[in-house]
Amino acid sequence: MELRASLNHLNVTTPDPAAMAAFYCSTYGMTQASAGDAIVCTGPGRVVALTRGPANKLAYAHYTFNDTPAWLAFRDRVPGAAQIDVPALARPAPDAVAIKDPDGNVIVFSPPDIASDVEVRADDMPQAILQHFALRTTQPQAMLAFYQSLGFVLSDEVHDPTGAVRACFLRTEHLHHSLALFGAPAAGFDHQSFETDTWADMRVWGDRMAELRVPIVWGIGRHGPGNDVFFMVRDPDGNLAEISAEIEVCESERPAGVWVHEERTLNLWGKAIMRD
Ligand SMILES: [Fe+2]
């Protein structure tokens, strides 16, 4: 059974929050506002917060539970001793709890009745909802075990020839993954993905990048795990930012899949960014 939680927003650290905010607002159709130490970029279904700090690091990821029974079950599963102080959040979330993973990434969870008075500007772009994010790690097996202990469900994993885990894709609801973990020489933030509805929407978003002279650095392609069609651009810090469509919808009892660590796994249509 999945956690029944979905991503609320990410807060990414950066040496230049203003430049990053300008990028996300222009490419992904958001408007920006200050919230404490962060600049918060908000669009329909998507929020990206930016806090001054090192590049390519997550300040925190915030999940919101979809219903109260799921939230209460999660609270029972996570002992108070495992919790850390909740960081200042870009969007208010009473009763949130926070946990640190083995790499030191902070993950915040909050109940479903999140208070929100955020005004979201409607725009004329197709839907693009913050759906998943990915981390790089030097210890994918330990990270996988940690997230499974929280109730994240393994959808697919990627093994090298020795059988070691090189990447894995974990879900918190019916969509194939809300978190991906990639083995890499250094830990850090890898990418966030905004999910559209259709192929036609992918085209509209691609044309928007072209209009802004933001080159697509990977794709268009189709991931093996998740089967989503995607393209990626890079933000000013070099983080990847993805537009995706058609991500797999999983039944609760779907067995976890195993893939070979090769380019074809990460892009069925061609070249891949292998992270190592
Ligand atoms: Fe992705």
Side-chain angles (χ1 to χ4, degrees), residues 137-146 148 157 159 163-165 168:
T137 177
T138 60
Q139 45 178 350
Q141 184 66 63
M143 289 278 277
L144 169 59
F146 171 82
Q148 286 183 301
E157 59 188 334
H159 289 177
V165 176
C168 57

Side-chain angles (χ1 to χ4, degrees), residues 2-252:
E2 291 85 3
L3 281 176
R4 301 203 301 274
S6 54
L7 269 183
N8 181 301
H9 71 280
L10 304 183
N11 189 327
V12 177
T13 64
T14 172
D16 192 343
M20 288 277 277
F23 171 85
Y24 280 99
C25 287
S26 64
T27 53
Y28 289 97
M30 304 186 191
T31 54
Q32 61 175 287
S34 293
D37 291 339
I39 300 177
V40 183
C41 303
T42 305
R46 52 192 182 274
V47 173
V48 179
L50 301 156
T51 301
R52 191 174 299 280
N56 316 128
K57 296 287 182 195
L58 191 68
Y60 63 80
H62 179 187
Y63 281 90
T64 300
F65 276 79
N66 299 339
D67 60 80
T68 299
W71 164 249
L72 295 175
F74 177 76
R75 287 297 307 268
D76 286 346
R77 178 180 309 192
V78 180
Q83 297 174 26
I84 62 169
D85 289 344
V86 177
L89 298 175
R91 303 178 90 186
D95 304 321
V97 300
I99 298 167
K100 245 183 203 174
D101 74 15
D103 282 354
N105 299 296
V106 175
I107 313 294
V108 176
F109 298 90
S110 66
D113 55 339
I114 183 170
S116 177
D117 55 1
V118 177
E119 282 284 326
V120 177
R121 176 182 62 87
D123 64 17
D124 56 1
M125 292 298 290
Q127 174 173 284
I129 292 175
L130 175 63
Q131 190 275 319
H132 72 259
F133 75 111
L135 298 168
R136 298 183 182 204
T137 177
T138 60
Q139 45 178 350
Q141 184 66 63
M143 289 278 277
L144 169 59
F146 171 82
Y147 282 100
Q148 286 183 301
S149 77
L150 292 182
F152 286 59
V153 176
L154 179 65
S155 293
D156 282 297
E157 59 188 334
V158 179
H159 289 177
D160 70 14
T162 72
V165 176
R166 299 299 295 268
C168 57
F169 300 83
L170 295 139
R171 67 183 185 273
T172 49
E173 53 184 347
H174 59 292
L175 299 178
H176 180 271
H177 57 279
S178 67
L179 170 63
L181 302 170
F182 295 106
F189 177 63
D190 186 89
H191 74 266
Q192 60 192 311
S193 182
F194 305 95
E195 183 77 6
T196 66
D197 276 341
T198 68
W199 281 73
D201 294 347
M202 299 284 299
R203 182 186 65 199
V204 174
W205 281 104
D207 284 341
R208 182 188 186 90
M209 301 303 166
E211 184 184 327
L212 295 168
R213 296 180 175 268
V214 173
I216 289 174
V217 298
W218 187 22
I220 189 166
R222 186 185 289 281
H223 295 309
N227 201 41
D228 41 332
V229 182
F230 72 94
F231 71 75
M232 295 200 183
V233 298
R234 282 196 194 278
D235 71 21
D237 283 359
N239 304 304
L240 295 164
E242 178 173 31
I243 290 281
S244 155
E246 300 188 349
I247 193 166
E248 179 186 344
V249 174
C250 297
E251 300 288 339
S252 275

